[in-house]
Amino acid sequence: MDKDSVLTRILRPKDVSTLVGGELPLSVIHNKRYISPLTGRDEEDSSPSLDHAIHTSLCGETRTVILVGAEGSGKTTALEKLVLDWAKGGHLQNFSYVFHFRLRELSSLNGTLSLVTLMLHHHGHIPPESVPLLLQKPESVLFVFDDLDQCDLDPSLHTFCSDPSQATSVSCLVASLLHGSLLKGAAFLVAARPTGGLKALSGTRLEVLGFLKPQRWAYFNGFFADPVAANKALMHMERTVGFYDVCTTPRFCWTVCSIYKCLMDAGAKLPETLSQLYVDVLVHLIQTLSLAEACSRELVLALGKMASQCSLDQHSSCTKEEMNSCGLQRFLTSVAVFLHVDGEQSDRPVFSFHSRLMQEFLLASSFFLDKSASEGAEKMLDKHKGRAEFLDFFLSGLSEPGQRRPLEALLGEFSSDRIVDFKCWFKSSSETTLKGCYKDKHHRCFRLLHQAQNESLVREIITPSARIGISYGDLSLQDCAALNYVATCLGEMEQLNLYSTRDLTEDEAEMLAPAMSLSHKIILSDSSLSTGSVPHLASALSRGLTKDMDLSQTRLGDEKFKLLCAGLRDCKLQKLDLVVCRLTEASCEDLVSVLTSGTSQLCVIDMRCNQIGDQGLTKLCEALQSPHCKLQELLLQGSELTAASMEALSSAFCSGQSDLRKLNLTQNAIGNKGVETLCKSLRHPHCKLRSLIFFDCQLTGGCCPHLMRALMSEHCSLSELELSVNDLGQEGALLLCQALSQPGCPLEKLGLKRCELTQSVFEELGSLLRSGTSQLKSLTVGMNNVGDQGVKHLWDAVAHPSCLLEELDVEMTGLTDACVQDLCAAIRASKTLKSLEMRNNSLTDVSVPALVQVMQDSHNMLEMNLKYNDFSEEAFDMLCECDKIRY
């Protein structure tokens, strides 16, 4: 095969570069601006170069490689570069014959053709005598098909041919080749936009990602001679609202570079929205045509009609007759800057927009320009729903006078009625959206507000009734920019909920930093934060309004936490949630530096389920003894603590410096020895501790004498003591009752769930509650199987006028229907009881009428929990009559 003739064919100019159509592949290659797009496979995280992926696939056993990518993602240029390299003796020399076709051009051909005709007459570089040899050695042939989405490959629609000389339609011919009916054994490299029709095609699929950040950097530096100008243009594009979804495509980068260069050379301001960019593009294109205002307006209206027709018919192209019906017959010599022509030499050329974005922008512009039509914005958007992705963006931008003014100077004024109509629809639909819980709709609303660039409109639409508290996790970069814009316009936000953000990148965090700094509460629970994102979060905290931040289950780790601490030293943060963040002793050292800085406002830290150990807690105790530390609550559940670190805690409490009011040591192996150590500090006059949680801390009744002495001390200030899920037994619990019966004992909340309590303990608790000396308002004694007789002592106490109890938990204590009469009498007599927990007992349908009646009659009772008792479906119907009963 004559490779020189292939070179000649490829190197022959077929078109001209356009502002919105992209630079010609040959121009890119010759000017040494070619940068291979990136590709990614579903099973791989890496993004290799597209060229490398194609070469690797076609030099192996693969016979079909399918490139799938959006408009302008670099597929066509990559294919032409590959064929050019083959013709120059570079890559893919395992193929003797390479045929390159653009199916958009072939689709304009009339009638039918055979494979032989296709190769001989529509490629023009293979001698007829080579055809038999080629057909005998199909494994040496590579077909390169661009624009495959122009063909319908569904096998059910074709009768495949196997004879190379049989004439058939272009679609049938291509389908026969790709499905192996024709020239079996040949290899194929095909490119298409994402369509459902590709599902029927088997082969190695490569997703064309286009340009990521390094490729964009290289491209801009290749376009601009001045590195400073290149950097300015790139930074502006990457940070401008609305560009994020499309700036990965080489074609869009060409458009941006081209128009930015014009604007920068003229000293003009660069666009701030996608709408402003395309206003500048359209102004530039119209000025090159040198048309009068009336003609320019007529041209844009006609192009808008064509854009609408292409969108509604879901065809990417129009015939000459269809164009004429849109009013473009007068402008056939002017439309080249907007439209691409295929089959120009044939008797049925087809026309298509160079850019889908430009197509949608022209549709939006013509909507506002057309003063004669009566169709409103809502109807027009509904009609194009799912067919025009950016139409509402462009309508939103063009509805603002500052953005449309350059266009009106060329085309005349937009229709004021249509602008008012769009704004009414926009405000109404936004208010409805923001009362709902669909975050995707919220994102779209924020994007539209960002496109409008109207701060007063944001404040008008996002009223206090708007539901801004729903989760905005997994935001795209554009969503981050839009949300940030909204927050900036509002001035502050009650809550920024980023729950379950799977990967907060550095760019996203940088974009969101102002919104974070304006939020009183930030929720990042169950999220994953990149290392690069944490300094931006820290910076936002250091200069912001945030008082409460939830980082639970972010698996932050010591390294990222150290970076975060840079922002914690000087901020307004008062509460920090660090549950399950994979922190160790090292993080405690960083936290100490924050707490003792003299500027930290932190008063509540939740560090549950981190492996800080005794050494970590000992370090934290250094902070507790500092006069600068403001910590009042410290939650350390499951932190691998033992009695070894309790001495440091006790010293901190006795120091006179610690302001700690609440300490949660749940699920740590504190043991009786640890409790004994802490009880010494509870008796100290400097100890300010109010709440102490020993839930499941491997305690026995041996700790109770120490607790009893502490509770009876004149200096003890404990109002809450949680001892549930410890084997205290009867003897230990009775000692506690003895302490609680003493006048002056401050305890108001006591937890004794699953503590091996007996009926004797319940009898003593009942006596205590009736004594008039006890301050207990909340008592938890569930999961102690004492039955009706045991709990009866508590019912009698609740009915007594001296009992102050407001909350009582008797879950799984073996209650039956026999207790209900005493229970109801207690509720009726009590003036304080508000909540009763009775889950997992053995009450039946017999008790339901009385329970419903007493709850309906009671003014004090707010809630009774009866879940997991022995009720039937019929009983549930009765229980639902009372909204204060949970069942």
Side-chain angles (χ1 to χ4, degrees):
M1 182 177 235
D2 187 359
K3 292 184 177 179
D4 288 338
S5 63
V6 176
L7 279 173
T8 301
R9 181 177 184 276
I10 293 178
L11 296 174
R12 186 188 310 129
K14 298 181 286 293
D15 210 337
V16 293
S17 296
T18 66
L19 185 59
V20 290
E23 188 175 11
L24 287 180
L26 279 181
S27 175
V28 173
I29 296 165
H30 285 168
N31 292 329
K32 297 183 179 178
R33 280 208 286 266
Y34 179 75
I35 301 167
S36 178
L38 297 185
T39 182
R41 292 190 179 95
D42 290 341
E43 66 270 16
E44 297 179 0
D45 292 326
S46 60
S47 297
S49 120
L50 179 62
D51 291 0
H52 176 74
I54 293 171
H55 296 149
T56 302
S57 299
L58 288 176
C59 288
E61 298 297 319
T62 302
R63 303 312 291 168
T64 302
V65 177
I66 308 157
L67 311 185
V68 181
E71 169 193 298
S73 57
K75 305 183 295 298
T76 295
T77 304
L79 293 186
E80 292 205 11
K81 175 73 163 53
L82 180 140
V83 176
L84 197 60
D85 287 346
W86 172 82
K88 289 179 177 180
H91 302 295
L92 301 178
Q93 294 306 295
N94 51 320
F95 296 105
S96 302
Y97 306 92
V98 173
F99 295 95
H100 177 221
F101 298 104
R102 292 201 68 183
L103 294 175
R104 188 182 296 273
E105 296 172 359
L106 290 179
S107 63
S108 65
L109 298 175
N110 288 326
T112 60
L113 72 164
S114 67
L115 176 60
V116 173
T117 305
L118 180 70
M119 293 187 294
L120 286 175
H121 300 292
H122 295 285
H123 213 257
H125 62 260
I126 177 171
E129 61 270 17
S130 297
V131 173
L133 179 62
L134 180 155
L135 297 176
Q136 290 172 14
K137 295 185 64 178
E139 66 277 359
S140 65
V141 180
L142 171 65
F143 285 96
V144 179
F145 289 134
D146 199 2
D147 304 319
L148 190 67
D149 45 280
Q150 296 297 306
C151 290
D152 197 331
L153 303 177
D154 187 348
S156 65
L157 300 178
H158 302 289
T159 302
F160 293 146
C161 67
S162 56
D163 182 355
S165 61
Q166 178 185 341
T168 186
S169 68
V170 172
S171 287
C172 184
L173 183 63
V174 173
S176 298
L177 284 166
L178 291 171
H179 288 291
S181 174
L182 185 61
L183 204 63
K184 187 173 184 179
F188 301 93
L189 173 60
V190 301
R193 298 177 187 177
T195 64
L198 297 177
K199 294 178 181 177
L201 193 59
S202 60
T204 298
R205 193 173 298 256
L206 299 175
E207 180 188 3
V208 184
L209 302 177
F211 288 170
L212 300 187
K213 203 163 194 172
Q215 289 73 37
R216 294 198 293 271
W217 178 261
Y219 185 88
F220 274 66
N221 275 278
F223 188 96
F224 290 92
D226 179 8
V228 175
N231 183 62
K232 177 183 177 182
L234 178 62
M235 292 300 101
H236 186 273
M237 181 188 78
E238 291 191 339
R239 281 161 174 71
T240 299
V241 177
F243 289 15
Y244 304 111
D245 287 350
V246 286
C247 72
T248 57
T249 66
R251 182 183 295 178
F252 186 78
C253 289
W254 159 262
T255 301
V256 169
C257 286
S258 301
I259 199 67
Y260 275 23
K261 188 175 187 306
C262 293
L263 294 170
M264 290 163 74
D265 288 347
K269 184 181 177 183
L270 297 182
E272 291 299 325
T273 69
L274 195 62
S275 300
Q276 284 181 6
L277 173 69
Y278 276 88
V279 165
D280 289 332
V281 169
L282 184 53
V283 166
H284 179 84
L285 293 178
I286 290 175
Q287 286 175 338
T288 63
L289 297 175
S290 301
L291 299 175
E293 178 184 301
C295 287
S296 297
R297 187 183 187 98
E298 186 179 345
L299 172 61
V300 172
L301 283 167
L303 287 168
K305 288 181 182 178
M306 179 178 167
S308 179
Q309 184 172 308
C310 288
S311 173
L312 295 175
D313 295 343
Q314 294 188 292
H315 294 152
S316 59
S317 58
C318 285
T319 65
K320 192 172 181 179
E321 291 76 13
E322 289 171 329
M323 283 184 60
N324 290 341
S325 71
C326 294
L328 285 164
Q329 62 271 27
R330 289 185 53 203
F331 303 102
L332 290 181
T333 58
S334 304
V335 294
V337 295
F338 299 101
L339 304 177
H340 178 74
V341 185
D342 291 307
E344 193 169 5
Q345 305 306 317
S346 72
D347 57 350
R348 285 188 62 80
V350 292
F351 302 82
S352 57
F353 285 95
H354 286 299
S355 160
R356 183 68 180 267
L357 277 168
M358 194 65 199
Q359 175 184 325
E360 294 185 16
F361 182 75
L362 287 165
L363 175 55
S365 300
S366 66
F367 173 78
F368 285 132
L369 280 171
D370 189 356
K371 297 181 179 181
S372 62
S374 59
E375 182 181 69
E378 183 173 8
K379 185 175 180 181
M380 197 267 278
L381 285 167
D382 284 344
K383 191 166 65 174
H384 290 277
K385 190 174 184 180
R387 296 181 171 93
E389 182 182 357
F390 292 93
L391 180 57
D392 52 354
F393 274 35
F394 290 135
L395 290 171
S396 181
L398 291 172
S399 69
E400 292 300 322
Q403 298 193 57
R404 67 175 183 265
R405 192 171 292 121
L407 264 186
E408 288 185 311
L410 283 176
L411 306 176
E413 288 188 358
F414 284 13
S415 167
S416 58
D417 289 342
R418 287 203 152 192
I419 290 170
V420 169
D421 173 70
F422 172 79
K423 287 193 169 184
C424 288
W425 168 83
F426 183 27
K427 183 180 178 185
S428 174
S429 63
S430 297
E431 289 172 346
T432 301
T433 291
L434 294 173
K435 289 177 182 176
C437 297
Y438 296 99
K439 70 176 185 179
D440 290 343
K441 292 184 178 181
H442 280 221
H443 293 165
R444 194 74 184 182
C445 176
F446 295 160
R447 288 188 182 194
L448 294 177
L449 285 169
H450 206 171
Q451 282 297 310
Q453 290 286 294
N454 184 330
E455 182 176 327
S456 62
L457 182 64
V458 174
R459 293 179 176 275
E460 185 179 352
I461 287 176
I462 303 183
T463 60
S465 63
R467 190 173 298 181
I468 304 297
I470 68 173
S471 172
Y472 294 125
D474 283 343
L475 296 164
S476 69
L477 198 55
Q478 183 174 340
D479 291 327
C480 291
L483 178 57
N484 184 69
Y485 172 77
V486 167
T488 304
C489 290
L490 294 174
E492 62 181 277
M493 292 178 67
E494 188 63 33
Q495 177 175 285
L496 177 61
N497 189 350
L498 301 173
Y499 167 77
S500 199
T501 299
R502 277 170 286 190
D503 181 23
L504 185 67
T505 66
E506 181 176 356
D507 287 344
E508 290 165 352
E510 183 179 8
M511 186 61 70
L512 279 173
M516 290 177 176
S517 68
L518 294 170
S519 302
H520 292 281
K521 181 175 183 178
I522 300 173
I523 300 175
L524 275 163
S525 54
D526 200 29
S527 298
S528 56
L529 282 61
S530 68
T531 301
S533 71
V534 179
H536 295 293
L537 176 58
S539 176
L541 291 173
S542 66
R543 65 175 187 268
L545 306 174
T546 309
K547 294 183 178 181
D548 185 348
M549 184 165 67
D550 186 352
L551 291 168
S552 60
Q553 307 208 44
T554 54
R555 301 163 289 282
L556 200 61
D558 294 331
E559 180 184 351
K560 294 176 189 175
F561 185 70
K562 179 182 283 291
L563 296 173
L564 181 67
C565 283
L568 297 179
R569 291 186 179 87
D570 188 14
C571 67
K572 294 182 173 64
L573 201 66
Q574 297 177 3
K575 183 179 179 183
L576 179 60
D577 193 330
L578 297 167
V579 179
V580 194
C581 281
R582 295 184 180 175
L583 305 182
T584 68
E585 172 191 342
S587 289
C588 293
E589 193 167 338
D590 295 316
L591 192 53
V592 168
S593 68
V594 171
L595 293 170
T596 58
S597 64
T599 52
S600 170
Q601 304 297 313
L602 275 173
C603 55
V604 179
I605 298 179
D606 190 344
M607 295 186 70
R608 288 174 291 163
C609 304
N610 288 286
Q611 288 67 55
I612 65 170
D614 289 324
Q615 292 300 316
L617 178 55
T618 300
K619 289 179 179 177
L620 287 177
C621 289
E622 296 175 17
L624 294 178
Q625 298 186 66
S626 167
H628 299 301
C629 180
K630 298 179 174 62
L631 204 60
Q632 295 185 14
E633 293 187 24
L634 182 58
L635 285 69
L636 296 171
Q637 174 182 341
S639 297
E640 300 186 356
L641 306 177
T642 69
S645 52
M646 296 303 105
E647 188 63 50
L649 259 179
S650 185
S651 297
F653 292 148
C654 296
S655 67
Q657 301 295 341
S658 173
D659 281 329
L660 205 67
R661 301 295 199 272
K662 180 174 182 176
L663 177 64
N664 189 335
L665 296 171
T666 294
Q667 293 176 331
N668 287 289
I670 305 302
N672 295 342
K673 183 65 176 175
V675 173
E676 180 182 359
T677 302
L678 280 179
C679 282
K680 294 176 184 176
S681 61
L682 293 177
R683 302 198 300 269
H684 196 281
H686 288 156
C687 181
K688 301 172 185 175
L689 206 62
R690 300 284 188 272
S691 173
L692 186 53
I693 314 297
F694 284 125
F695 188 100
D696 190 14
C697 283
Q698 301 182 18
L699 310 183
T700 70
C703 72
C704 292
H706 307 294
L707 287 168
M708 180 185 72
R709 284 193 291 275
L711 290 170
M712 294 174 67
S713 166
E714 63 175 315
H715 299 301
C716 180
S717 56
L718 273 188
S719 60
E720 177 182 10
L721 179 60
E722 177 58 79
L723 296 166
S724 294
V725 195
N726 290 289
D727 296 335
L728 303 183
Q730 175 174 297
E731 184 177 348
L734 289 175
L735 289 175
L736 292 176
C737 291
Q738 184 179 336
L740 266 67
S741 65
Q742 298 300 309
C745 179
L747 211 61
E748 296 181 357
K749 187 172 184 178
L750 177 63
L752 295 172
K753 180 178 287 189
R754 214 232 71 186
C755 283
E756 305 298 325
L757 306 185
T758 63
Q759 288 194 26
S760 297
V761 175
F762 273 68
E763 183 178 359
E764 192 62 31
L765 283 170
S767 175
L768 169 70
L769 292 168
R770 294 191 304 270
S771 65
T773 58
S774 169
Q775 302 300 310
L776 276 181
K777 296 179 181 179
S778 176
L779 178 62
T780 300
V781 288
M783 301 178 70
N784 291 288
N785 191 17
V786 295
D788 293 331
Q789 288 303 309
V791 179
K792 186 178 187 305
H793 297 292
L794 299 184
W795 301 143
D796 292 344
V798 168
H800 196 279
S802 297
C803 179
L804 305 177
L805 216 55
E806 296 176 3
E807 300 173 354
L808 177 60
D809 181 342
V810 287
E811 176 188 2
M812 202 183 294
T813 50
L815 297 177
T816 70
D817 295 328
C819 77
V820 173
Q821 184 176 352
D822 292 327
L823 161 61
C824 292
I827 291 176
R828 289 192 177 93
S830 174
K831 291 183 173 56
T832 58
L833 194 65
K834 298 176 182 178
S835 174
L836 187 57
E837 176 64 70
M838 296 178 65
R839 285 180 300 171
N840 293 297
N841 282 292
S842 301
L843 303 177
T844 71
D845 293 5
V846 174
S847 303
V848 170
L851 294 173
V852 169
Q853 188 64 54
V854 75
M855 288 297 289
Q856 289 176 335
D857 293 344
S858 173
H859 298 295
N860 299 324
M861 284 293 292
L862 302 177
E863 181 178 72
M864 177 187 289
N865 195 335
L866 295 172
K867 288 184 177 181
Y868 315 123
N869 278 276
D870 297 333
F871 299 134
S872 68
E873 291 293 331
E874 289 78 8
F876 291 154
D877 292 338
M878 286 188 284
L879 289 168
C880 75
E881 296 175 7
C882 181
D883 58 8
K884 295 192 286 186
I885 297 179
R886 306 287 173 262
Y887 60 91

